[in-house]
Amino acid sequence: MDISSLVLEYIQNDVDLITWKIILNFKTIFLGIIIEALPFILISVIVSSLLHNFVSEELIRRVLPKNKTYSIMLACFLGMIFPACDCGMVPIVRRLVMKGVPLYSAVAFMLSAPIINPVVATATTYAFNSSEMALTRISVAFLIAFTTGWLISKLFKGTELKDMEHSHNHNCGCTCHSHSEHKVLLREKFLNVLDDACNEFFEMGKYLILGSFIGATVQTFIPRGLLLNIGHEPLLSIIVMMLFAFAISVCSSADAFIASSFSTSFTTGSLVAFMVFGPMIDIKNTLMLLHTFRLRFVIFLVAIVSLLCVLETYLLINIL
């Protein structure tokens, strides 16, 4: 039986078997994804607002290496001292780009920080009872983040932000931001942090809800048996697990436990692809990226990360 027949069979079976229990299961998964992601979104918008109100453009430019390669490499390792979940990376990256951080360094940080950090390394080691799996995951993530940042440095010269005019007005709508000439009281800056964080939280929250809805739908109505049937071939299993990671949109601190549940049926390469691709590109952050960056840049970013993830997990793990 071919794959299309299997898909049709499973879909037909699911339509026939939708019950109140399945609906309750969908509600549980939907709320679970949101509850899991909300703290990280909240932390990220606060960090983003702190960056905006307390870190000047001049300081960022002085700290970053002038050399592109060193700048991208430094950005890839920042997650080790600044762990962040993919759920809230887009607001932080937007703020960094607005502050003058080069697009290639900001994107390298966005791709690496959710994976290259102590929290995810510990969770992966614990889930697989193997430090080698954690090291492999971090190594593949670093290579993808660095290569993507390097390619962006060659192909994109601007910020690629979609809403620079709105962002500029937002920054200059009041007279109390860091670039203003008059001195700003500390209390006033903290009030600005709260105001900016609230605005950004509600702006990103709607995309979190939409992405969580789609992710819960996939987890509820696509049977695990379907994934197992088509996941035995090395290259196909990598692609399937990447699509699965994109759809379910689970945070990087929790996805290793889901991946380990497939360890008896899927290849190691496909499990690494699941744990690397999902934190970099999933439904939630793709919607946020589309809201923040120009369409052509988002298409390039998703395409190059997908291609690199397939190539690296296939070549480094299934062949070498």
Side-chain angles (χ1 to χ4, degrees):
M1 184 179 293
D2 58 19
I3 293 176
S4 60
S5 301
L6 277 172
V7 172
L8 290 174
E9 179 184 338
Y10 278 114
I11 291 176
Q12 182 61 45
N13 290 337
D14 276 349
V15 170
D16 294 338
L17 295 175
I18 290 178
T19 63
W20 182 244
K21 183 180 178 181
I22 292 177
I23 295 175
L24 288 177
N25 187 44
F26 168 82
K27 184 190 74 173
T28 301
I29 296 172
F30 174 64
L31 293 178
I33 295 175
I34 290 181
I35 292 171
E36 184 184 50
L38 272 180
F40 296 101
I41 288 281
L42 187 59
I43 292 172
S44 72
V45 297
I46 292 174
V47 171
S48 173
S49 299
L50 287 171
L51 284 171
H52 173 60
N53 288 280
F54 286 93
V55 180
S56 68
E57 292 86 343
E58 290 74 18
L59 175 61
I60 294 174
R61 292 192 186 101
R62 284 203 305 270
V63 171
L64 281 177
K66 301 299 180 188
N67 183 283
K68 287 184 180 180
T69 303
Y70 293 154
S71 179
I72 297 171
M73 193 172 294
L74 176 64
C76 289
F77 283 115
L78 280 180
M80 297 192 73
I81 56 175
F82 180 51
C85 182
D86 62 295
C87 304
M89 286 305 300
V90 176
I92 296 175
V93 167
R94 178 173 68 171
R95 190 70 73 185
L96 288 174
V97 173
M98 290 166 57
K99 284 286 184 181
V101 174
L103 181 64
Y104 49 82
S105 296
V107 171
F109 173 66
M110 179 183 73
L111 297 178
S112 64
I115 302 172
I116 304 177
N117 68 68
V119 177
V120 171
T122 304
T124 307
T125 301
Y126 182 77
F128 286 91
N129 194 26
S130 167
S131 57
E132 291 182 358
M133 179 61 90
L135 184 60
T136 302
R137 180 184 189 183
I138 289 173
S139 301
V140 172
F142 174 83
L143 287 172
I144 293 175
F146 181 85
T147 306
T148 303
W150 184 81
L151 288 173
I152 289 174
S153 73
K154 300 296 181 185
L155 299 175
F156 295 92
K157 302 304 179 186
T159 67
E160 295 300 318
L161 288 173
K162 181 191 290 183
D163 206 7
M164 281 296 289
E165 185 177 350
H166 166 75
S167 301
H168 180 75
N169 291 336
H170 176 69
N171 293 338
C172 303
C174 61
T175 58
C176 50
H177 287 288
S178 58
H179 62 274
S180 300
E181 292 187 358
H182 73 278
K183 294 191 73 173
V184 180
L185 296 174
L186 186 61
R187 176 177 173 277
E188 204 172 359
K189 280 194 171 185
F190 275 112
L191 289 177
N192 290 335
V193 168
L194 292 176
D195 184 51
D196 289 345
C198 286
N199 290 333
E200 203 147 28
F201 179 80
F202 286 108
E203 186 178 357
M204 292 298 168
K206 57 190 176 186
Y207 297 102
L208 169 66
I209 292 173
L210 179 58
S212 300
F213 179 85
I214 297 172
T217 302
V218 171
Q219 289 194 62
T220 303
F221 296 105
I222 293 185
R224 181 176 167 178
L226 174 62
L227 296 176
L228 297 179
N229 283 333
I230 60 179
H232 290 297
E233 198 275 330
L235 182 59
L236 181 60
S237 67
I238 289 173
I239 296 173
V240 168
M241 290 305 281
M242 287 171 59
L243 291 173
F244 186 47
F246 178 83
I248 65 173
S249 303
V250 177
C251 292
S252 56
S253 57
D255 60 0
F257 297 95
I258 297 176
S260 65
S261 68
F262 290 96
S263 59
T264 57
S265 306
F266 274 68
T267 63
T268 301
S270 64
L271 299 179
V272 173
F274 174 84
M275 294 186 292
V276 169
F277 186 74
M280 291 183 175
I281 303 291
D282 64 20
I283 289 176
K284 295 196 304 292
N285 61 28
T286 299
L287 291 172
M288 293 180 190
L289 285 169
L290 288 170
H291 175 71
T292 304
F293 292 98
R294 292 171 182 157
L295 178 61
R296 63 167 189 164
F297 176 73
V298 177
I299 292 175
F300 170 83
L301 182 62
V302 173
I304 198 64
V305 170
S306 303
L307 182 61
L308 288 172
C309 191
V310 171
L311 288 176
E312 290 187 13
T313 53
Y314 188 79
L315 293 175
L316 294 178
I317 299 174
N318 290 313
I319 293 181
L320 298 180

